[in-house]
Amino acid sequence: MKRTILASIFGALSLNAFAASPSYDFVKAGYVQADIEDVGDFEPTGFQIQGFKSLNENVYLTGRYGQLSEDEYGVDGELDYISAGVGYRYGLTTTTDFFGELTYEYVDVDLDSSFASAEADDNGYGITAGIRSMLSEQFELRGAIRYIDIEDDETAFEIGADYFFTPQFSFGATYVIADDVDLLGVSARYTF
């Protein structure tokens, strides 16, 4: 009986024993939908591509490109964004990392209708801090807070998860809550 209880305790404590730390060498692509406040039913959709590449055990590069659009009430709106930067990871445990990123941010908004058109672009910087954790070999959970300064400053909170079908391929979802816009995304990821 004592052996069974001890085996159960050690089994529960070692749930993550076979899970590795989160990877910083991957690309992912997916579908994104935005919900922009104070603009009626304008909810642009589109795609996003994102990549990470580790330079050494702690430093990595990150990049993201997205394009969203919608045609509502005869107005065609398009939003393109680019984010590129450098990050640093610190292993809190063998399966959980704290990370921080400093990024260059670029946004281009284009509105076009039959009677007028307008285009605006701007750039700035972003600072991100968060946690990534491999809860098991198949499941990664992450959360982050992001400060972005492009003309005006904005704070965003992100939560996401990936489920790994194999060590290389996973499917995930992300939800971002910001001051003026919320984003919902689903993606496929390849870890190399």
Side-chain angles (χ1 to χ4, degrees):
M1 181 70 169
K2 288 181 185 178
R3 289 183 186 204
T4 305
I5 293 172
L6 287 174
S8 298
I9 291 171
F10 284 118
L13 292 175
S14 64
L15 181 63
N16 290 335
F18 297 106
S21 64
S23 173
Y24 293 83
D25 290 303
F26 65 85
V27 293
K28 67 180 183 177
Y31 169 84
V32 179
Q33 178 178 353
D35 182 9
I36 302 173
E37 293 181 17
D38 302 325
V39 291
D41 293 333
F42 186 67
E43 295 181 349
T45 59
F47 71 92
Q48 176 177 282
I49 300 169
Q50 184 176 12
F52 284 74
K53 176 62 180 137
S54 59
L55 299 177
N56 60 38
E57 186 176 327
N58 297 99
V59 180
Y60 62 92
L61 299 176
T62 179
R64 176 185 329 222
Y65 172 75
Q67 186 178 73
L68 305 175
S69 65
E70 183 170 34
D71 188 1
E72 187 74 29
Y73 304 115
V75 177
D76 184 22
E78 188 171 302
L79 168 69
D80 295 342
Y81 57 90
I82 297 172
S83 175
V86 63
Y88 183 84
R89 66 162 289 276
Y90 176 77
L92 298 173
T93 69
T94 57
T95 59
T96 302
D97 288 351
F98 169 80
F99 67 92
E101 297 173 359
L102 179 61
T103 54
Y104 166 80
E105 304 288 334
Y106 173 80
V107 175
D108 181 26
V109 178
D110 190 8
L111 299 173
D112 198 12
S113 70
S114 58
F115 55 89
S117 65
E119 183 178 358
D121 64 338
D122 210 342
N123 60 62
Y125 68 93
I127 300 171
T128 303
I131 302 281
R132 291 178 60 197
S133 184
M134 295 298 297
L135 300 181
S136 71
E137 287 182 344
Q138 290 82 27
F139 192 70
E140 178 182 337
L141 185 64
R142 65 190 169 280
I145 183 169
R146 178 176 296 140
Y147 172 81
I148 299 174
D149 190 341
I150 303 176
E151 192 174 298
D152 295 321
D153 60 343
E154 183 149 338
T155 302
F157 299 92
E158 176 179 336
I159 188 162
D162 285 295
Y163 180 80
F164 288 84
F165 297 99
T166 72
Q168 288 78 35
F169 293 100
S170 67
F171 180 78
T174 303
Y175 186 64
V176 178
I177 302 171
D179 295 337
D180 298 325
V181 63
D182 296 343
L183 296 171
L184 176 62
V186 292
S187 62
R189 170 174 151 179
Y190 174 72
T191 303
F192 49 91

